[in-house]
Amino acid sequence: MRSGRHGAARPPVGVLIQQDRVDFALFALIFVVALASMAFSGPGSAVFWLALVPMVATVVLAFRRIEHLSRLELRDSEFL
């Protein structure tokens, strides 16, 4: 049998975000710009509703990036 971690033990999210700060900083920037455009345009504008697309996409991409980084971390820890 192999030694090491068993099950779905994953590293903390903060550690994963620190590994790839640039990507997560860009995700945060996209989210903030979309939120600001929503705040300044108002719900009667098409910009308000179109800003929902990058906000949802940013959340999905950030979640997928965290999952990818955690899989890489787990794969790397198996070789130790």
Side-chain angles (χ1 to χ4, degrees), residues 42-68:
S45 175
V47 173
F48 181 88
W49 299 106
L50 288 175
L52 288 174
V53 174
M55 289 178 74
V56 171
T58 299
V59 171
V60 169
L61 289 174
F63 180 76
R64 289 185 55 166
R65 187 68 182 149
I66 289 171
E67 288 292 317
H68 178 71

Side-chain angles (χ1 to χ4, degrees), residues 14-28 65 69:
V15 172
L16 297 174
I17 290 174
Q18 286 181 356
Q19 288 179 356
D20 212 357
R21 290 181 192 149
V22 174
D23 282 350
F24 290 103
L26 290 173
F27 290 151
R65 187 68 182 149
L69 289 172

Side-chain angles (χ1 to χ4, degrees), residues 4-12 70-71 73-75 77:
R5 287 194 255 183
H6 300 285
R10 294 186 178 193
S70 66
R71 276 189 260 120
E73 185 76 20
L74 288 173
R75 190 175 312 141
S77 68

